Amino acid sequence: MARVLTGSRQPGMGLSMADLTMDGAGIRYRRRAARKVAIVAGALAVLLAALITDVAVGPGNFSLLQVLSAIVDPGSQGPKVDVIVWNVRLPVAVMAVLVGAMLGVAGAQMQTILNNPLADPFTLGISSAASFGAALAIGTGIGLVPFAGAFLVTANAFVFALATSIILFLFTRMRGVTIETFILVGIALFFTFNALLAFIQYQASETQLQQIIFWMMGSLARATWTKIAVCAGLLAVIVPICMRRSWMLTALTMGDDRAASLGIPVARLRLEMLACISLLASTAVAFVGTIGFIGLVGPHIARLLVGEDQRYFLPVSAASGAVILSVASTLSKAITPGIIYPIGIITALVGVPFFLSLVMSVRRENW
Amino acid sequence: MSLAINDIHFGYGKVPLFRGLGATGLRRGTITAVVGPNGVGKSSLFRLIAGLRLPRRGSLSLDGTDLATLPQRRRHETVFFLSQHVAIRAALTVFDLVLLARKSGRGGRTTPDDLARVETILCELGIDHLSDRHVTDLSGGQQQLVATAQAFVREPQVLLLDEPTSALDLRRQLEVMELVRKVTIARNIVTLVALHDLSLASRFADRFLLLDSGVIVADGSPHEVLDGGAIEDAYGVGIHVERATTGTLMVDAYLRAS
């Protein structure tokens, strides 16, 4: 047994390597791949431009040159510029990029493992669990993490989001659980936490209610360099994990049976990805509140631009999410000078028209 | 040099499906048609051979080697199961999908030889003109041809095709089965095909396995199985079998008066 048969040497099997013509399908595939690499590079360039714009815009009327100088050579523009750039604008701008990328990656993988383009990291109750956790801390002062102190709200949000993910995670390990039942359990959790949240809101004082609603709208103003380090660290670990499994994740689009026939450990892959998604989504929602739109739309933009080959789909999903949140961050400062609107509101207002225009310009039945 | 199915017991939950299923000497270079009514376990048998399900008892061996002893990746390189046609909704081109099947045997790496093989297979199946099209833009029959291309490009030792012609027009059915025969002989592999069209099955298969009630109720040449009366009992119909001037067996089924 175990004879390895290389087809090109077999009789009756037609063409061989030498027959790869200059305009053959293989060469055209190579050209398409090169074009997709260029799109990934283009998306990163747009992201850089969005980041710089976000840092440059804001009350204070500094020129772009001043801001860039303060970043490259701290101290050169005086302490006022330094403080505003390094302590206020940069953390918010970098956080926008990182959280956007986290939600983009989490959304892309959620849509992949559920084989459902309507899924996003918050479909399955993760955001409502986080909101409930935050509301519990604000409304009752009850925290699940001892000695969390000033981080009580963030810690509670994270713990509840992660606990929801773990429930889902354990659920997938049960025998005979299909994707459909998995989604149904997620939706049930979503409604449960929403009801509990409403219960707390009903009992909260006026000030507490205001705080809860503000938290749920999402805000980048809570950005700190420590949170940035946590987000960057997570992305630095999870993105390579996903990229290493890119061909397996691409194959999942063919359905479980076909993917399993190709030797892909479907159940294990799904669990691994769910763990990654949980960490990304729980951290993002705990740090900046509910920004649900990006995880859904970022992957769709990527799908329109580069298709579902995960080698390109994943980085472009991350970049799309990051660009949307970065542009939204800029606009949240620019719409009314002196006022910073909650990022959650602006994201959908900016993202939806952009997304619809993209859908109308690139009509393809990928949904 | 053959595939052997040895005394397989299997079921879903508490419901037994196979009770000592066995067939030996499924030789390399031949096509075996697996036939039987709906729900009798043709796809389940293929899943067992492919290692996607584990039998409760019994074994499957290729050229004397128990398939269960092979490392998982090696087993999936050796045996390929093409499941029944399902529409794929991925934003991938035909070339991407077929290449994916090829790459999966190599841990995701792509070599120039892989690109050449994919190009070759697409040409042989007459779908090279579709290679740059998105798979969502294709008809059901065209998608089925893409799936067949995935099966061929894997170059397995055991090829399991579950209803590979169900969405194809007459000409495509013959072309695909002709190519299955050519590949089976040229690569000297074991091919099992589940088919409902008994005329098509008898035209291309060297051997028939008729499944019913958890066991193989008839095993032999197409002529032997079709003439033996087991088909009538398994399907609950009457059949006329005629030999065309070309030598092909023509199966005409009719409902029996109750």
Side-chain angles (χ1 to χ4, degrees), chain B residues 37 210-213 217 228-239 256:
Chain B
L210 174 62
L211 261 67
D212 193 23
S213 307
V217 289
I231 292 274
E232 277 105 329
D233 293 340
Y235 285 90
V237 295
I239 59 167
R256 290 188 294 209

Side-chain angles (χ1 to χ4, degrees), chain A residues 2-3 20 28 257 308, chain B residues 47 74 91 119 124 132 157:
Chain A
R3 283 173 293 171
L20 252 190
R28 292 201 301 278
D257 240 5
E308 278 179 278
Chain B
R47 285 197 181 89
R74 179 75 178 284
E119 207 173 312
E124 289 185 336
D132 302 343
Q157 303 294 309

Side-chain angles (χ1 to χ4, degrees), chain A residues 31-68:
Chain A
R31 282 192 205 124
R32 271 199 307 279
R35 202 164 54 231
K36 286 175 185 174
V37 170
I39 291 173
V40 173
L44 293 177
V46 171
L47 176 59
L48 186 64
L51 175 66
I52 291 171
T53 312
D54 193 11
V55 181
V57 170
N61 290 328
F62 306 132
S63 70
L64 178 63
L65 199 65
Q66 270 181 302
V67 171
L68 289 179

